[in-house]
Amino acid sequence: MLNAELLYEFNIMSTSLPYMEDSNIKPTYVSELSSLSFDVPPPPKNRRLKGLDVTFKYTISGENDGLWFGNISTTNGVDLMYNPKVFGKPESGEVGIWLSNWPIGNALDTGDKVNISIAVICGLEVHECGVSLVYSTDDKVAEETLENMEWIEVLGGDLFGFQLSTRAYYLCRREFFELMDFGRLTLGWFSIPQSTFGHLYSNL
């Protein structure tokens, strides 16, 4: 049985739950694939875009723990990959759903194309992914504070240690080289974070 566990890191909130059909939480944009794209629409009157709710349905495949990451990229330069430290594992044959909130509204403008994908290396199968846009509430003080912050600051400030040589950000609290286990991730799969290179060179 998959037990709910709330995770909060990089100001991204996420959890895994057993999947249950509920029309009240159906995402705005849905794809039966592991990726989708959409153009950011104009916000409702007197509202500001706060971020995105990203979800995907999945089942476990094979005996290895699932290794995957969510990716959000946009036409205005945002490129984020997130690998959560904790992830729920449903029983064989059961369907789980991953729910997450990414507070990156400051980085999204009307008309931007947003690409969402769930990249799986091993251990699970994605059956559907979805995304909804989250808009501001009436808390004017909190909204003004967020509006004056850069989106990198909203995700925790100094993320240099998580930036790849491609300029994308790979947000992950696991030890980087733990992901290099045989059959899971190879060194050449993506570029090593710049700070990792610096650490290696400083110890030569």
Side-chain angles (χ1 to χ4, degrees):
M1 182 68 179
L2 194 159
N3 296 317
E5 185 171 358
L6 187 65
L7 179 64
Y8 188 72
E9 53 182 357
F10 303 105
N11 284 344
I12 297 173
M13 187 176 296
S14 66
T15 190
S16 299
L17 299 170
Y19 174 71
M20 293 182 293
E21 190 72 38
D22 187 345
S23 59
N24 292 323
I25 60 172
K26 188 175 181 63
T28 305
Y29 304 97
V30 180
S31 171
E32 294 183 355
L33 304 176
S34 60
S35 63
L36 62 83
S37 299
F38 66 94
D39 295 332
V40 177
K45 186 177 180 180
N46 298 325
R47 292 294 185 93
R48 183 183 64 82
L49 182 60
K50 292 177 62 177
L52 302 176
D53 284 346
V54 178
T55 70
F56 73 90
K57 295 193 304 186
Y58 63 96
T59 53
I60 297 299
S61 61
E63 297 181 357
N64 293 329
D65 291 337
L67 180 58
W68 62 277
F69 61 82
N71 176 231
I72 296 179
S73 62
T74 72
T75 49
N76 68 357
V78 174
D79 197 351
L80 293 171
M81 293 178 280
Y82 174 50
N83 182 324
K85 189 174 183 179
V86 178
F87 178 68
K89 184 176 181 179
E91 297 292 335
S92 177
E94 292 185 350
V95 178
I97 183 169
W98 185 70
L99 309 169
S100 65
N101 174 261
W102 304 54
I104 59 171
N106 286 7
L108 305 176
D109 298 319
T110 299
D112 286 347
K113 180 172 288 295
V114 180
N115 303 301
I116 307 289
S117 62
I118 308 300
V120 176
I121 291 85
C122 68
L124 59 84
E125 182 177 352
V126 176
H127 298 279
E128 177 183 287
C129 71
V131 62
S132 296
L133 284 74
V134 181
Y135 293 98
S136 62
T137 62
D138 295 329
D139 189 346
K140 293 184 179 180
V141 175
E143 297 306 324
E144 289 175 359
T145 300
L146 287 174
E147 191 171 3
N148 292 327
M149 295 176 67
E150 296 291 334
W151 65 272
I152 290 295
E153 293 180 283
V154 174
L155 292 176
D158 184 8
L159 297 180
F160 173 78
F162 301 94
Q163 189 172 29
L164 308 179
S165 59
T166 61
R167 312 305 296 174
Y169 290 91
Y170 182 68
L171 307 179
C172 180
R173 294 293 187 191
R174 305 183 191 186
E175 288 293 332
F176 185 80
F177 289 103
E178 285 182 7
L179 302 179
M180 302 301 172
D181 294 340
F182 176 76
R184 303 187 74 194
L185 191 65
T186 62
L187 188 60
W189 198 83
F190 53 53
S191 300
I192 295 179
Q194 294 175 351
S195 62
T196 301
F197 281 122
H199 175 72
L200 292 175
Y201 293 154
S202 67
N203 286 283
L204 291 178

